[in-house]
Amino acid sequence: MEYANALARQIFSGARVDPDEATLLAAYLALGSATLLPEFARVLQDGRPRRLDGLRADPRTDGVPGPQTLSVHAVRLWDRVFAVWRVATEADLLYDQLLQAERIAGVGSFCWELRDPEPRCSPELVRLFHRGRDAATIPVDELADSVHPDDLLAVQDAVRRTIVEGKQLLAEVRGAGRVSGRRLRLAAEPILDDTGNVTAVRGTVQDVTEERAIEARLRRAEEALAAQRHRLADERRAAEALQKALLPTDPELGHLEGVELCGRCRSPERVGTVDGDWYDACSVPDGTILVLGDVDERGLSSMTTAARLRYAVRAYAVLDMPPGDILTAVNGMLCAMEVEHTACLVVARYTPSTRELRWAAAGQVAPVRYDAAGAGTVLTGPLGLPLGEVAEMRYTDTAVTLTPGDRVLFYTGGQYAGTRPRSDRRRGGGLDLVRRAAETIDLTDFDAVITHLVTSLNVPDDEDVCTMLIHVP
């Protein structure tokens, strides 16, 4: 170095370096070798000035007593480099940090000495007022025009209380003029002299437009969610009422000829919906029609389809159609009228005079028969596809002759269930446990039968199950 002014000497003296006898590297070893000397060499080579901002000197690798942030401006002077550099003070760094914080938060600050004609505003406040355009000040005569007319009186009253009564100011206003369409939050406090008079006001202005827009969207979403919850609750109540109406009443079950029946539909309470499960039993000439069904999906739509199927099965049964023909007929109806749903269904006709049980299944598992001693067997017969899958599907039925003391268990658990597939419960020994139920439970205890069925088949908590147990006295 050939020359250093007084301020430069102070910087070098902090590093314990004599600028008259040392090189640049003595003070800035790492920074000088990595950045300064290469840049100075380029200045000598091409003659173009260099401005280097935000350089960091580390006391661990440079000769400085503490961390420094420097700005260096270098130009070529004949065959020499003339460099001017400035070491940022803590105040400089904090000022830059505050400016960045204001920019990130969308907050501008001001201080208005009441004896001055205009407030002193931060760059971010000026930028906010001028919508990002470069400007030097905020015109005082435009301040009133920057507040929405409906909010102006309230703002003026708040400013009066701050200046005259020394109250803090906190308000949120809608913008007008240059800041039209924005929402601004104002916060200010008075500065008092020794006599208690207000001499200045300082505060902040924050653009909360996006914040309020997000709150409004969130509020609309919450309102929509609440409306949906009410709608789902109403739908659940309607579905529960419809399911209750579909199930046979105790008086109806008590008038069945030659057979005793218990039935139960378990809806998954944790899920909060009602599935399209139902069972039915009604007297027809020379016997009893037994039905167990499950419509795919959940809710009111499924129960509505279940109601149509229930009454269709009853109507066809009155025409003395066998179970297979009943399934074929309701399958055609479902494919034509309820294309969005499929259903699993088992229909059986019991004739007390012959004790014959004739049954057909669409997508359901075969019933389980228990003799008077409790020995269980799975009934054999054709298991067709669920209703609504194939319009041309034809179902056939099969018959079995029961004996006094026999019980037959029907339950939902088809391998097929349309868009909501079930697990194949016939695997893993579950069906064998159901078949041997009498070894562990009393078959006359219907609650125990249901618990054993759910446990043996590992029915998930979120899945419905419908069960019907008939007994031949």
Side-chain angles (χ1 to χ4, degrees):
M1 289 182 290
E2 296 184 3
Y3 170 77
N5 66 359
L7 292 178
R9 290 179 179 276
Q10 290 181 11
I11 295 175
F12 282 109
S13 64
R16 300 177 181 177
V17 173
D18 185 354
D20 295 328
E21 300 179 358
T23 64
L24 181 64
L25 295 181
Y28 300 107
L29 177 59
L31 180 63
S33 60
T35 304
L36 295 179
L37 288 183
E39 291 295 334
F40 291 171
R42 293 187 183 94
V43 171
L44 288 175
Q45 182 179 4
D46 57 26
R48 295 170 55 189
R50 297 289 195 279
R51 183 176 184 87
L52 309 173
D53 294 318
L55 300 179
R56 294 286 296 175
D58 192 331
R60 296 172 296 180
T61 56
D62 295 300
V64 294
Q68 291 182 356
T69 300
L70 303 90
S71 297
V72 179
H73 188 197
V75 298
R76 187 171 68 183
L77 186 63
W78 299 296
D79 59 346
R80 302 286 191 274
V81 174
F82 181 76
V84 177
W85 73 90
R86 180 174 182 272
V87 177
T89 64
E90 187 68 17
D92 295 330
L93 297 176
L94 286 176
Y95 177 74
D96 182 68
Q97 180 177 328
L98 289 174
L99 289 182
Q100 296 301 322
E102 285 194 353
R103 179 187 61 79
I104 294 171
V107 178
S109 58
F110 66 90
C111 182
W112 196 339
E113 301 282 348
L114 298 186
R115 64 175 179 272
D116 295 339
E118 294 183 349
R120 183 171 65 255
C121 302
S122 70
E124 183 62 25
L125 183 56
V126 175
R127 192 187 69 82
L128 176 65
F129 184 81
H130 291 281
R131 289 185 175 268
R133 294 188 294 270
D134 293 335
T137 61
I138 297 178
V140 177
D141 56 352
E142 294 186 22
L143 289 179
D145 295 334
S146 300
V147 179
H148 193 280
D150 293 344
D151 298 336
L152 184 58
L153 289 179
V155 172
Q156 289 175 336
D157 183 61
V159 171
R160 182 194 62 79
R161 290 198 305 270
T162 300
I163 295 176
V164 176
E165 303 175 14
K167 304 290 187 180
Q168 287 194 338
L169 186 151
L170 183 62
E172 186 171 313
V173 301
R174 291 164 290 177
R178 292 181 182 269
V179 290
S180 177
R182 315 302 292 177
R183 293 191 71 91
L184 305 175
R185 180 189 293 148
L186 312 178
E189 63 179 10
I191 300 175
L192 309 178
D193 59 15
D194 295 338
T195 63
N197 294 320
V198 178
T199 60
V201 177
R202 59 189 173 194
T204 60
V205 179
Q206 183 178 12
D207 186 349
V208 295
T209 306
E210 292 301 322
E211 181 181 340
R212 293 295 173 263
I214 293 174
E215 290 176 352
R217 289 195 295 269
L218 180 60
R219 185 168 55 253
R220 289 193 295 270
E222 290 175 344
E223 292 172 352
L225 183 60
Q228 184 182 32
R229 284 197 297 265
H230 288 303
R231 180 182 62 80
L232 291 177
D234 292 340
E235 182 177 308
R236 176 178 174 81
R237 286 191 290 270
E240 288 175 340
L242 182 55
Q243 185 183 55
K244 185 177 180 180
L246 293 182
L247 300 180
T249 63
D250 290 338
E252 289 177 317
L253 297 179
H255 286 82
L256 299 178
E257 182 181 356
V259 67
E260 298 172 350
L261 185 146
C262 295
R264 181 82 54 82
C265 286
R266 188 202 74 166
S267 295
E269 295 294 334
R270 184 173 62 84
V271 178
T273 59
V274 177
D275 291 324
D277 283 25
W278 88 101
Y279 67 92
D280 191 21
C282 64
S283 297
V284 293
D286 299 327
T288 299
I289 287 293
L290 307 168
V291 184
L292 188 77
D294 178 18
V295 179
D296 69 340
E297 301 299 337
R298 293 182 169 125
L300 185 59
S301 175
S302 294
M303 287 310 306
T304 302
T305 300
R308 294 191 179 104
L309 291 176
R310 176 186 189 262
Y311 292 113
V313 169
R314 284 196 169 201
Y316 291 130
V318 170
L319 299 177
D320 201 27
M321 295 173 60
D325 290 348
I326 292 176
L327 288 181
T328 301
V330 294
N331 176 66
M333 182 200 75
L334 195 64
C335 289
M337 301 176 60
E338 301 279 348
V339 294
E340 71 277 9
H341 285 297
T342 61
C344 297
L345 191 66
V346 59
V347 177
R349 176 188 287 267
Y350 179 68
T351 305
S353 60
T354 61
R355 296 193 184 93
E356 181 188 74
L357 180 72
R358 182 169 294 276
W359 63 278
Q364 290 284 22
V365 293
V368 179
R369 175 189 179 185
Y370 303 96
D371 61 20
T377 56
V378 179
L379 297 184
T380 58
L383 303 176
L385 292 174
L387 302 179
E389 294 278 2
V390 180
E392 297 79 13
M393 183 71 187
R394 296 197 62 82
Y395 298 88
T396 58
D397 47 54
T398 188
V400 60
T401 300
L402 304 180
T403 59
D406 281 358
R407 287 178 170 83
V408 180
L409 177 66
F410 300 86
Y411 60 95
T412 55
Q415 184 177 357
Y416 312 97
T419 58
R420 179 167 52 89
R422 300 176 186 265
S423 58
D424 188 347
R425 296 174 178 168
R426 290 171 292 184
R427 300 176 182 173
L431 184 57
D432 186 58
L433 293 175
V434 175
R435 185 178 58 81
R436 295 188 289 110
E439 298 178 8
T440 56
I441 64 171
D442 182 2
L443 294 178
T444 62
D445 185 350
F446 189 53
D447 289 333
V449 172
I450 294 177
T451 302
H452 180 78
L453 178 72
V454 170
T455 303
S456 300
L457 299 181
N458 294 318
V459 179
D461 292 339
D462 62 346
E463 188 173 310
D464 59 301
V465 61
C466 192
T467 309
M468 183 169 61
L469 182 66
I470 67 169
H471 174 237
V472 178

